[in-house]
Amino acid sequence: MTALLEVDQVETAYGSSQVLFGITFDIREGEVATLLGRNGMGKTTTVRSLLGLTRARGGTVRFRGERIEALSVDRIARMGLAVVPEGRQIFPNLSVQENLLAFSANRNASGEPWTLERVYHLFPRLAERSRNMGNQLSGGEQQMLAIGRALMTNPHLLILDEATEGLAPLVREEIWRCLALLRQHGQAILVIDKYVQRLIQLADRHTIIERGRVVWHGTSGQLKADPGLWDRYVGV
Ligand SMILES: Nc1ncnc2c1ncn2[C@@H]1O[C@H](COP(=O)(O)OP(=O)(O)OP(=O)(O)O)[C@@H](O)[C@H]1O
Ligand SMILES: [Mg+2]
């Protein structure tokens, strides 16, 4: 089976401070994968390196068979890599509907693309708030909007960086429910989060990062069978 994303020996630094020391993992079509690790271990930096936001100094990234590590942020996005960033970053002065429409594109050439109606169906709360400005939304609503906006690009791969961070438990459950639904639809997803139990239910494979290095790869079954791993590397 060919990989959708192949990350091979990626090294990334901020100025003279090296943060990633050879990150390697892959994601297959239709797969849900995770990056796990404690705070500051390099998860967000890995995502930034994939998206071209912080350029990798070494290693290669292949997306749908094409090398992307030297491409522009824009070009990579247009190839169908979409992110729900840490901190959401929705437009505060645009309405919910405008936020969604601003991102509309059919990058994976889906025969059944995401539309306003489908996003509103997925998150009825957004339909109710469609005319509200981004800055009038609760944290949970902002997160739903950030996910809806990423879906509106019809990405080949959806990346969520701490999508449930700071949310109330009920809203968090709604996000997990949504991700499970996307998975059923065959959407490939890379999830970064700290709720290992939920991730074991949702995802196929996991990569644990410790100080910029991959220390473990495995399936949900393997991760479930070894809670010692969570204590050691994820801290839950
Ligand atoms: N813009 C930056 N400039 C310099 N150092 C940075 C920058 N962003 C992150 N770092 C450092 O890089 C390391 C990895 O950070 P990163 O944000 O990738 O970790 P993370 O695994 O996403 O952590 P968290 O769980 O807190 O989000 C940390 O030591 C962090 O302090
Ligand atoms: Mg992070």
Side-chain angles (χ1 to χ4, degrees), residues 43-44 86 161-162:
K43 303 179 298 293
T44 297
E86 222 176 354
D161 193 355
E162 313 263 4

Side-chain angles (χ1 to χ4, degrees), residues 39-58:
N39 290 348
M41 291 303 172
K43 303 179 298 293
T44 297
T45 304
T46 301
V47 169
R48 292 183 59 87
S49 305
L50 304 181
L51 297 169
L53 289 166
T54 303
R55 204 136 305 281
R57 288 209 179 157

Side-chain angles (χ1 to χ4, degrees), residues 14-26:
Y14 295 106
S16 61
S17 154
Q18 187 164 353
V19 171
L20 302 183
F21 298 87
I23 297 290
T24 299
F25 68 99
D26 64 80

Side-chain angles (χ1 to χ4, degrees), residues 121-143:
H121 186 71
L122 184 68
F123 293 121
R125 287 282 283 282
L126 291 183
E128 291 164 22
R129 305 288 254 148
S130 68
R131 287 171 200 287
N132 284 101
M133 294 294 148
N135 60 7
Q136 296 173 309
L137 304 179
S138 70
E141 290 164 349
Q142 286 183 32
Q143 194 56 264

Side-chain angles (χ1 to χ4, degrees), residues 88-100 126 129-143 145-146 149:
R88 296 159 203 148
Q89 300 171 22
I90 59 171
F91 297 124
N93 53 346
L94 293 185
S95 72
V96 165
Q97 183 151 325
E98 288 165 339
N99 261 284
L100 291 170
L126 291 183
R129 305 288 254 148
S130 68
R131 287 171 200 287
N132 284 101
M133 294 294 148
N135 60 7
Q136 296 173 309
L137 304 179
S138 70
E141 290 164 349
Q142 286 183 32
Q143 194 56 264
L145 179 54
R149 204 174 62 167

Side-chain angles (χ1 to χ4, degrees), residues 11-205:
E11 300 194 20
T12 304
Y14 295 106
S16 61
S17 154
Q18 187 164 353
V19 171
L20 302 183
F21 298 87
I23 297 290
T24 299
F25 68 99
D26 64 80
I27 304 176
R28 300 169 193 149
E29 296 277 1
E31 189 173 48
V32 178
T34 78
L35 287 181
L36 301 172
R38 291 180 204 275
N39 290 348
M41 291 303 172
K43 303 179 298 293
T44 297
T45 304
T46 301
V47 169
R48 292 183 59 87
S49 305
L50 304 181
L51 297 169
L53 289 166
T54 303
R55 204 136 305 281
R57 288 209 179 157
T60 60
V61 182
R62 278 190 178 78
F63 185 53
R64 307 184 67 223
E66 201 175 313
R67 293 271 295 267
I68 64 166
E69 72 275 0
L71 300 183
S72 70
V73 174
D74 210 52
R75 180 85 193 283
I76 293 170
R78 277 188 274 119
M79 286 177 71
L81 243 169
V83 69
V84 177
E86 222 176 354
R88 296 159 203 148
Q89 300 171 22
I90 59 171
F91 297 124
N93 53 346
L94 293 185
S95 72
V96 165
Q97 183 151 325
E98 288 165 339
N99 261 284
L100 291 170
L101 289 176
F103 281 72
S104 178
N106 192 355
R107 288 174 176 157
N108 63 14
S110 165
E112 201 192 338
W114 285 93
T115 58
L116 265 185
E117 290 68 32
R118 285 188 66 206
V119 170
Y120 286 158
H121 186 71
L122 184 68
F123 293 121
R125 287 282 283 282
L126 291 183
E128 291 164 22
R129 305 288 254 148
S130 68
R131 287 171 200 287
N132 284 101
M133 294 294 148
N135 60 7
Q136 296 173 309
L137 304 179
S138 70
E141 290 164 349
Q142 286 183 32
Q143 194 56 264
M144 292 170 198
L145 179 54
I147 295 172
R149 204 174 62 167
L151 289 174
M152 287 293 281
T153 68
N154 289 282
H156 283 284
L157 177 63
L158 176 65
I159 302 178
L160 296 109
D161 193 355
E162 313 263 4
T164 67
E165 171 94 36
L167 298 183
L170 276 178
V171 183
R172 217 154 57 210
E173 287 310 315
E174 193 168 348
I175 304 284
W176 294 122
R177 178 191 62 80
C178 147
L179 296 183
L181 210 70
L182 294 177
R183 181 212 163 97
Q184 280 173 25
H185 281 108
Q187 175 71 58
I189 310 175
L190 175 61
V191 198
I192 295 163
D193 216 300
K194 57 172 186 255
Y195 294 95
V196 181
Q197 304 263 22
R198 282 281 176 274
L199 294 173
I200 285 174
Q201 291 169 354
L202 175 74
D204 301 288
R205 289 190 300 149

